[in-house]
Amino acid sequence: MEPQFKVKIDNDSAKILKELAEKKKDDGLRVVFIGPPGSGKGTQAPLVKEDYCLCHLSTGDMLRAAIEQGTETGLQAKSIMNQGGLVPDEVMVNMIKENIQTPECKKGFILDGFPRTVPQAEKLDKMLAEDNKKIDHVLDFSIDDSLLVRRITGRLVHPSSGRSYHREFFPPKVDMVDDVTGEPLIQRSDDNEEVLKKRLDSFHKNTTPVLGYYQNKGILSTIDASKSAPFVSHTIKSIFLSTLHFPHNASIFKTFQQKLKMQVHSTETPLAGENL
């Protein structure tokens, strides 16, 4: 039998919690995703984006968009890249600043791919502090490298639609053929063990100090990214709930007026609030 812990909340406490949750909702939610390729960040980002009305900022996508749009930051980055250089931290932070000031990011953002170093994390914090904002949660998508190799090297893609399959975990109905169109699937050239191991070595070398930086700030949460996508999604909601960040479709009034019931499961259901 699954253990349960029930917490009774009186009307005054419910009112206070409700007001705090509403303030959190108005303040928005700012999240950093950190994890190696294949850890599931790309699966979870659209779910979090929809549930919390956030924008998803992938540094690679932002950089390409800025260059295509010919923004000042984009032109600066393009000039540096054309000379074979790396885009400076200041340029990346300015690009993030430009994006989070858009209406789409009004309620907050998911930042994926930045920061990769401690100096970048410090510059990001400084930029946000200028607008009296801060990062609320940093999620570490932790997963064993050997499982990542299995995930990445077995990945198959339908080029025109972007639909993805996996030889082991999610195979197509017909080998190497897209289920919808019947067109051939491909394996991307960089989805191989040699390339992946180089990327993982670089990731671990640079990211370990960043995780320590956010751990010291008390905002780092480590997620078992080897679990199923629903489990990981449920875990993320539980982490946000710990700071009273509720999904935008949650009935805060009903939740607190009726009861607050917290469940701890020993199986694949993490701590989570009911009716959220």
Side-chain angles (χ1 to χ4, degrees), residues 34 137-140 210-212 214-222:
I34 296 179
H137 290 281
V138 177
L139 305 185
D140 170 24
V210 178
L211 295 177
Y214 286 122
Q215 180 73 58
N216 290 336
K217 285 182 168 289
I219 58 174
L220 177 71
S221 297
T222 300

Side-chain angles (χ1 to χ4, degrees), residues 122-133:
E122 292 172 340
K123 287 181 173 65
L124 177 64
D125 282 348
K126 182 179 179 181
M127 181 269 288
L128 291 172
E130 291 172 355
D131 197 26
N132 295 317
K133 291 182 172 58

Side-chain angles (χ1 to χ4, degrees), residues 205-245:
K205 178 181 178 181
N206 292 319
T207 306
T208 299
V210 178
L211 295 177
Y213 173 83
Y214 286 122
Q215 180 73 58
N216 290 336
K217 285 182 168 289
I219 58 174
L220 177 71
S221 297
T222 300
I223 296 172
D224 185 352
S226 69
K227 299 291 187 179
S228 66
F231 174 85
V232 173
S233 179
H234 206 167
T235 301
I236 292 172
K237 285 186 178 181
S238 299
I239 291 168
F240 295 165
L241 175 61
S242 70
T243 52
L244 296 183
H245 287 98

Side-chain angles (χ1 to χ4, degrees), residues 73-240:
T73 304
L75 293 173
Q76 189 177 1
K78 183 178 180 179
S79 175
I80 295 169
M81 293 169 66
N82 285 344
Q83 297 174 31
L86 295 175
V87 180
D89 293 348
E90 290 77 9
V91 175
M92 295 300 296
V93 170
N94 286 337
M95 185 173 60
I96 293 169
K97 184 176 182 179
E98 290 174 359
N99 278 268
I100 64 177
Q101 291 175 341
T102 63
E104 184 185 3
C105 297
K106 181 180 179 182
K107 294 296 184 181
F109 57 81
I110 307 160
L111 190 53
D112 180 2
F114 191 95
R116 296 179 184 271
T117 66
V118 171
Q120 289 179 351
E122 292 172 340
K123 287 181 173 65
L124 177 64
D125 282 348
K126 182 179 179 181
M127 181 269 288
L128 291 172
E130 291 172 355
D131 197 26
N132 295 317
K133 291 182 172 58
K134 62 180 180 63
I135 298 296
D136 297 295
H137 290 281
V138 177
L139 305 185
D140 170 24
F141 286 70
S142 178
I143 186 169
D144 189 79
D145 285 1
S146 61
L147 179 55
L148 286 176
V149 171
R150 288 171 61 197
R151 282 186 178 182
I152 296 295
T153 57
R155 187 161 56 184
L156 303 171
V157 178
H158 179 238
S160 60
S161 69
R163 273 187 295 276
S164 61
Y165 301 84
H166 194 278
R167 296 182 188 276
E168 180 180 354
F169 305 119
F170 183 54
K173 295 176 183 177
V174 179
D175 186 40
M176 295 303 293
V177 174
D178 179 46
D179 289 350
V180 178
T181 65
E183 295 172 347
L185 300 175
I186 65 167
Q187 184 170 31
R188 291 184 176 134
S189 60
D190 58 347
D191 281 353
N192 64 73
E193 188 169 350
E194 182 180 356
V195 172
L196 177 61
K197 285 187 174 180
K198 289 181 180 178
R199 295 175 68 187
L200 289 175
D201 287 344
S202 175
F203 172 81
H204 292 311
K205 178 181 178 181
N206 292 319
T207 306
T208 299
V210 178
L211 295 177
Y213 173 83
Y214 286 122
Q215 180 73 58
N216 290 336
K217 285 182 168 289
I219 58 174
L220 177 71
S221 297
T222 300
I223 296 172
D224 185 352
S226 69
K227 299 291 187 179
S228 66
F231 174 85
V232 173
S233 179
H234 206 167
T235 301
I236 292 172
K237 285 186 178 181
S238 299
I239 291 168
F240 295 165

Side-chain angles (χ1 to χ4, degrees), residues 43-69:
T43 298
Q44 297 300 325
L47 303 176
V48 174
K49 175 181 177 179
E50 181 176 356
D51 284 340
Y52 295 86
C53 298
L54 310 179
C55 63
H56 179 207
L57 302 178
S58 167
T59 50
D61 292 342
M62 283 190 293
L63 195 55
R64 284 187 288 271
I67 292 173
E68 289 176 3
Q69 295 167 8

